[in-house]
mmCIF file of all heavy atoms in Angstrom:
data_model
loop_
_atom_site.group_PDB
_atom_site.id
_atom_site.type_symbol
_atom_site.label_atom_id
_atom_site.label_comp_id
_atom_site.label_asym_id
_atom_site.label_seq_id
_atom_site.Cartn_x
_atom_site.Cartn_y
_atom_site.Cartn_z
ATOM 1 N N MET E 70 -14.941 6.850 -4.520
ATOM 2 C CA MET E 70 -15.201 8.261 -4.428
ATOM 3 C C MET E 70 -13.932 8.926 -5.064
ATOM 4 O O MET E 70 -12.960 8.820 -4.574
ATOM 5 C CB MET E 70 -15.435 8.656 -3.064
ATOM 6 C CG MET E 70 -16.587 8.112 -2.402
ATOM 7 S SD MET E 70 -16.889 8.725 -0.699
ATOM 8 C CE MET E 70 -15.829 7.769 0.127
ATOM 9 N N GLU E 71 -14.194 9.754 -6.206
ATOM 10 C CA GLU E 71 -13.038 10.352 -6.733
ATOM 11 C C GLU E 71 -12.772 11.683 -6.015
ATOM 12 O O GLU E 71 -13.624 12.486 -5.594
ATOM 13 C CB GLU E 71 -13.472 10.741 -8.121
ATOM 14 C CG GLU E 71 -12.261 11.386 -8.911
ATOM 15 C CD GLU E 71 -12.568 11.488 -10.328
ATOM 16 O OE1 GLU E 71 -13.714 11.325 -10.818
ATOM 17 O OE2 GLU E 71 -11.581 11.658 -11.196
ATOM 18 N N HIS E 72 -11.561 11.898 -5.644
ATOM 19 C CA HIS E 72 -11.089 13.048 -4.981
ATOM 20 C C HIS E 72 -10.230 13.934 -5.737
ATOM 21 O O HIS E 72 -9.296 13.469 -6.402
ATOM 22 C CB HIS E 72 -10.447 12.767 -3.670
ATOM 23 C CG HIS E 72 -11.295 12.354 -2.407
ATOM 24 N ND1 HIS E 72 -10.872 12.167 -1.192
ATOM 25 C CD2 HIS E 72 -12.657 12.108 -2.520
ATOM 26 C CE1 HIS E 72 -12.009 11.868 -0.491
ATOM 27 N NE2 HIS E 72 -13.101 11.775 -1.242
ATOM 28 N N ARG E 73 -10.380 15.262 -5.828
ATOM 29 C CA ARG E 73 -9.603 16.176 -6.657
ATOM 30 C C ARG E 73 -8.190 16.371 -6.025
ATOM 31 O O ARG E 73 -7.346 16.762 -6.610
ATOM 32 C CB ARG E 73 -10.239 17.565 -6.750
ATOM 33 C CG ARG E 73 -11.555 17.503 -7.560
ATOM 34 C CD ARG E 73 -12.029 18.891 -7.665
ATOM 35 N NE ARG E 73 -11.210 19.856 -8.285
ATOM 36 C CZ ARG E 73 -11.284 20.006 -9.698
ATOM 37 N NH1 ARG E 73 -12.270 19.416 -10.353
ATOM 38 N NH2 ARG E 73 -10.395 20.858 -10.278
ATOM 39 N N GLY E 74 -8.085 16.270 -4.671
ATOM 40 C CA GLY E 74 -6.865 16.423 -3.851
ATOM 41 C C GLY E 74 -6.973 16.089 -2.445
ATOM 42 O O GLY E 74 -7.740 15.304 -2.063
ATOM 43 N N ILE E 75 -6.073 16.839 -1.675
ATOM 44 C CA ILE E 75 -6.134 16.630 -0.294
ATOM 45 C C ILE E 75 -6.116 17.979 0.481
ATOM 46 O O ILE E 75 -5.829 19.071 -0.226
ATOM 47 C CB ILE E 75 -4.988 15.887 0.268
ATOM 48 C CG1 ILE E 75 -3.573 16.501 -0.194
ATOM 49 C CG2 ILE E 75 -4.938 14.376 -0.288
ATOM 50 C CD1 ILE E 75 -2.352 15.919 0.471
ATOM 51 N N HIS E 76 -6.463 17.939 1.807
ATOM 52 C CA HIS E 76 -6.312 19.191 2.595
ATOM 53 C C HIS E 76 -4.974 18.987 3.503
ATOM 54 O O HIS E 76 -4.765 17.937 3.936
ATOM 55 C CB HIS E 76 -7.477 19.330 3.569
ATOM 56 C CG HIS E 76 -8.782 19.541 2.863
ATOM 57 N ND1 HIS E 76 -9.166 20.758 2.373
ATOM 58 C CD2 HIS E 76 -9.796 18.540 2.622
ATOM 59 C CE1 HIS E 76 -10.449 20.554 1.747
ATOM 60 N NE2 HIS E 76 -10.720 19.361 2.001
ATOM 61 N N LEU E 77 -4.198 20.055 3.532
ATOM 62 C CA LEU E 77 -3.052 19.997 4.527
ATOM 63 C C LEU E 77 -3.348 20.971 5.539
ATOM 64 O O LEU E 77 -3.731 22.055 5.267
ATOM 65 C CB LEU E 77 -1.797 20.506 3.728
ATOM 66 C CG LEU E 77 -1.072 19.574 2.864
ATOM 67 C CD1 LEU E 77 0.183 20.234 2.276
ATOM 68 C CD2 LEU E 77 -0.649 18.315 3.709
ATOM 69 N N GLN E 78 -3.177 20.640 6.740
ATOM 70 C CA GLN E 78 -3.515 21.415 7.869
ATOM 71 C C GLN E 78 -2.322 21.609 8.958
ATOM 72 O O GLN E 78 -1.580 20.752 9.145
ATOM 73 C CB GLN E 78 -4.742 20.855 8.549
ATOM 74 C CG GLN E 78 -5.142 21.516 9.956
ATOM 75 C CD GLN E 78 -6.442 21.186 10.489
ATOM 76 O OE1 GLN E 78 -7.343 20.640 9.809
ATOM 77 N NE2 GLN E 78 -6.787 21.653 11.676
ATOM 78 N N TRP E 79 -2.308 22.815 9.629
ATOM 79 C CA TRP E 79 -1.558 22.850 10.801
ATOM 80 C C TRP E 79 -2.302 23.896 11.685
ATOM 81 O O TRP E 79 -3.414 24.425 11.132
ATOM 82 C CB TRP E 79 -0.030 23.332 10.526
ATOM 83 C CG TRP E 79 0.033 24.669 9.688
ATOM 84 C CD1 TRP E 79 0.108 25.868 10.139
ATOM 85 C CD2 TRP E 79 0.038 24.702 8.298
ATOM 86 N NE1 TRP E 79 0.076 26.779 9.071
ATOM 87 C CE2 TRP E 79 0.068 26.138 7.928
ATOM 88 C CE3 TRP E 79 -0.066 23.806 7.269
ATOM 89 C CZ2 TRP E 79 0.211 26.551 6.661
ATOM 90 C CZ3 TRP E 79 0.007 24.229 6.000
ATOM 91 C CH2 TRP E 79 0.154 25.605 5.575
ATOM 92 N N PRO E 80 -1.987 24.083 12.931
ATOM 93 C CA PRO E 80 -2.955 24.878 13.800
ATOM 94 C C PRO E 80 -3.426 26.195 13.224
ATOM 95 O O PRO E 80 -2.722 26.912 12.733
ATOM 96 C CB PRO E 80 -2.096 25.154 15.043
ATOM 97 C CG PRO E 80 -1.213 23.911 15.168
ATOM 98 C CD PRO E 80 -0.896 23.733 13.717
ATOM 99 N N ASN E 81 -4.854 26.277 13.140
ATOM 100 C CA ASN E 81 -5.470 27.379 12.640
ATOM 101 C C ASN E 81 -5.503 27.567 11.067
ATOM 102 O O ASN E 81 -5.879 28.670 10.644
ATOM 103 C CB ASN E 81 -4.945 28.847 13.302
ATOM 104 C CG ASN E 81 -5.034 28.716 14.718
ATOM 105 O OD1 ASN E 81 -5.993 28.327 15.363
ATOM 106 N ND2 ASN E 81 -3.929 29.128 15.483
ATOM 107 N N GLU E 82 -4.887 26.680 10.434
ATOM 108 C CA GLU E 82 -4.947 26.822 8.974
ATOM 109 C C GLU E 82 -5.204 25.391 8.312
ATOM 110 O O GLU E 82 -4.604 24.416 8.701
ATOM 111 C CB GLU E 82 -3.575 27.355 8.480
ATOM 112 C CG GLU E 82 -3.250 28.751 8.776
ATOM 113 C CD GLU E 82 -2.000 29.381 8.215
ATOM 114 O OE1 GLU E 82 -1.934 29.069 6.904
ATOM 115 O OE2 GLU E 82 -1.237 30.075 8.844
ATOM 116 N N ARG E 83 -6.066 25.529 7.241
ATOM 117 C CA ARG E 83 -6.310 24.266 6.469
ATOM 118 C C ARG E 83 -6.360 24.701 5.079
ATOM 119 O O ARG E 83 -7.018 25.650 4.655
ATOM 120 C CB ARG E 83 -7.682 23.644 6.733
ATOM 121 C CG ARG E 83 -7.928 22.391 6.144
ATOM 122 C CD ARG E 83 -9.256 21.775 6.506
ATOM 123 N NE ARG E 83 -9.176 21.346 7.936
ATOM 124 C CZ ARG E 83 -10.244 20.912 8.709
ATOM 125 N NH1 ARG E 83 -11.519 20.825 8.024
ATOM 126 N NH2 ARG E 83 -10.196 20.604 9.896
ATOM 127 N N HIS E 84 -5.552 24.064 4.204
ATOM 128 C CA HIS E 84 -5.362 24.490 2.783
ATOM 129 C C HIS E 84 -5.795 23.309 1.837
ATOM 130 O O HIS E 84 -5.238 22.121 2.240
ATOM 131 C CB HIS E 84 -4.034 24.922 2.568
ATOM 132 C CG HIS E 84 -3.613 26.198 3.232
ATOM 133 N ND1 HIS E 84 -3.668 27.443 2.861
ATOM 134 C CD2 HIS E 84 -3.149 26.204 4.615
ATOM 135 C CE1 HIS E 84 -3.263 28.251 3.788
ATOM 136 N NE2 HIS E 84 -2.893 27.499 4.772
ATOM 137 N N HIS E 85 -6.343 23.552 0.741
ATOM 138 C CA HIS E 85 -6.664 22.479 -0.178
ATOM 139 C C HIS E 85 -5.751 22.530 -1.267
ATOM 140 O O HIS E 85 -5.394 23.595 -1.875
ATOM 141 C CB HIS E 85 -8.120 22.755 -0.779
ATOM 142 C CG HIS E 85 -8.529 21.498 -1.714
ATOM 143 N ND1 HIS E 85 -8.887 21.622 -2.959
ATOM 144 C CD2 HIS E 85 -8.727 20.235 -1.263
ATOM 145 C CE1 HIS E 85 -9.196 20.476 -3.436
ATOM 146 N NE2 HIS E 85 -9.100 19.522 -2.404
#
Side-chain angles (χ1 to χ4, degrees):
M70 295 182 284
E71 187 172 11
H72 283 189
R73 293 181 65 94
I75 58 169
H76 300 279
L77 279 180
Q78 169 164 354
W79 56 91
N81 305 316
E82 293 190 43
R83 184 179 294 169
H84 299 265
H85 187 243

